[in-house]
Amino acid sequence: MDELVERGVRITRQRRVLISVIQNSPTHLDATALLAIAKQQDSGINLATVYRTLALLKNCGLIDELDLMHLEGEKHYYEAKTSSDHCHLACFGCGAIMEYASPLFEKLKRKIAADSGFRIRVARLELGGLCKQCAKTTA
Amino acid sequence: MDELVERGVRITRQRRVLISVIQNSPTHLDATALLAIAKQQDSGINLATVYRTLALLKNCGLIDELDLMHLEGEKHYYEAKTSSDHCHLACFGCGAIMEYASPLFEKLKRKIAADSGFRIRVARLELGGLCKQCAKTTA
DNA sequence: TTTTACTTGCGAATGATTCTCAACTGGGAA
DNA sequence: TTCCCAGTTGAGAATCATTCGCAAGTAAAA
Ligand SMILES: [Mn+2]
Ligand SMILES: [Mn+2]
Ligand SMILES: [Zn+2]
Ligand SMILES: [Zn+2]
């Protein structure tokens, strides 16, 4: 939040609510789900504002955008960015989404940057497949 | 192609053309671009068939779907899958898309699978940032 | 307070992707 | 070879996510 103030971004009532919802959400939210939760605190919030705020936060590097293998439709999901990136494992069998962080992932990013001279601002590693449970079931 | 026959998938004129276009494309194609190129060989092809074929190939694991950081709109891009996965670097400055393959990436995938018991079918690593050139320019 | 550039709500507009259904066809069976 | 039909296609409508346009509202600097 202070991040935004420093950048001269105006803190509106709607933005305050949306940011809080995203930061406290235990799950990955799509725009509609985010709106539904935000409305509980500020019933007037509009879907267009949700999208505008998501774009703002994404540009500021405060949230990450995910596909989660489009397990249920073409929408995107969002989560607050944390210090170390984690990757997402999406199970085609049961639809579960798991997270996985590893120093090896950080190392890979550093190596890519070093090898290519690319300055990484966003890193997204998403895997699709079968979770332990489902892999067992499917033989 | 033989892959498909083995799976009992019917090889139609349209599918033959679409598969060939994807396999020979030097760039990452979205559905509309794919249609445009395919039409040069078979003018009757329809966009719905393009989407149906993309879904088919994706399910068979013959192509990968990419976001390329949605640098230009919410569409998706496709490319023929090759033996070793590579990641995609998308430059926010000039829009360039670079590819990068590394044994370290393969290693990370193996480690994730080993650690979590997840059976990986699709792996997508996409990075957004500034390419060497643009990083220099932007200070 | 006053001011004003930045935001918002609302509804319409876009763009991508999917669906419906009648007509068509690949490829196994006869 | 010809026949047959389950699987596939084209066309257009429908759906869904996301963006726009604009008048009205409001942070926050002065
Ligand atoms: Mn996550
Ligand atoms: Mn996407
Ligand atoms: Zn599962
Ligand atoms: Zn660049």
Side-chain angles (χ1 to χ4, degrees):
Chain A
M1 196 91 135
D2 309 316
E3 285 274 344
L4 295 173
V5 175
E6 281 170 28
R7 295 186 193 232
V9 172
R10 208 177 274 187
I11 305 299
T12 65
R13 183 168 41 87
Q14 295 87 335
R15 285 178 182 167
R16 215 185 295 277
V17 171
L18 291 171
I19 291 170
S20 140
V21 172
I22 294 176
Q23 285 181 334
N24 298 322
S25 176
T27 65
H28 303 96
L29 300 171
D30 61 64
T32 304
L34 173 52
L35 174 66
I37 299 175
K39 272 187 167 169
Q40 295 171 9
Q41 293 175 51
D42 186 334
S43 63
I45 287 191
N46 188 278
L47 185 54
T49 299
V50 170
Y51 277 109
R52 285 187 285 235
T53 302
L54 286 173
L56 174 73
L57 299 176
K58 195 179 9 157
N59 285 329
C60 292
L62 298 176
I63 58 173
D64 275 325
E65 183 178 61
L66 305 169
D67 269 17
L68 300 184
M69 288 294 142
H70 290 303
L71 247 38
E72 46 177 57
E74 295 299 303
K75 58 197 172 187
H76 290 108
Y77 298 85
Y78 302 87
E79 71 178 358
K81 195 176 269 189
T82 56
S83 49
S84 90
D85 286 323
H86 55 266
C87 72
H88 293 91
L89 317 187
C91 178
F92 293 139
C94 65
I97 302 295
M98 283 149 284
E99 306 193 326
Y100 177 96
S102 140
L104 191 51
F105 182 25
E106 298 302 319
K107 185 175 173 185
L108 174 59
K109 289 193 294 179
R110 283 198 301 277
K111 179 157 171 46
I112 293 175
D115 286 358
S116 65
F118 193 85
R119 183 175 303 169
I120 301 174
R121 279 225 294 261
V122 190
R124 241 171 89 174
L125 173 54
E126 302 195 38
L127 306 178
L130 295 177
C131 73
K132 199 169 193 171
Q133 293 297 313
C134 294
K136 194 172 304 175
T137 307
T138 315
Chain B
M1 195 92 135
D2 310 315
E3 284 274 345
L4 294 173
V5 175
E6 281 169 30
R7 294 186 193 234
V9 172
R10 207 178 275 186
I11 304 299
T12 65
R13 184 168 40 85
Q14 295 88 333
R15 286 178 180 167
R16 214 185 294 279
V17 171
L18 291 170
I19 291 169
S20 141
V21 171
I22 293 175
Q23 285 181 334
N24 299 322
S25 176
T27 64
H28 302 97
L29 300 171
D30 60 66
T32 305
L34 173 52
L35 174 65
I37 298 176
K39 271 188 167 169
Q40 294 170 8
Q41 294 174 50
D42 186 334
S43 63
I45 288 189
N46 188 279
L47 185 56
T49 300
V50 170
Y51 277 108
R52 285 188 285 236
T53 302
L54 286 172
L56 175 73
L57 299 176
K58 198 184 357 165
N59 285 329
C60 291
L62 298 175
I63 59 174
D64 275 326
E65 182 178 61
L66 306 168
D67 268 18
L68 300 183
M69 288 294 141
H70 291 304
L71 248 38
E72 45 176 59
E74 295 299 302
K75 58 197 173 188
H76 289 109
Y77 297 85
Y78 302 86
E79 71 178 356
K81 195 175 268 189
T82 57
S83 49
S84 89
D85 286 323
H86 54 267
C87 73
H88 292 90
L89 316 187
C91 178
F92 293 139
C94 63
I97 302 295
M98 283 148 284
E99 305 192 327
Y100 177 97
S102 139
L104 190 52
F105 182 25
E106 298 301 320
K107 186 175 173 185
L108 173 59
K109 288 193 294 180
R110 283 197 303 277
K111 180 158 170 45
I112 292 175
D115 286 357
S116 66
F118 193 84
R119 183 175 301 169
I120 302 175
R121 278 226 295 261
V122 190
R124 243 171 90 173
L125 173 54
E126 303 195 38
L127 306 179
L130 295 176
C131 73
K132 199 169 192 172
Q133 293 296 313
C134 293
K136 195 173 301 173
T137 307
T138 315

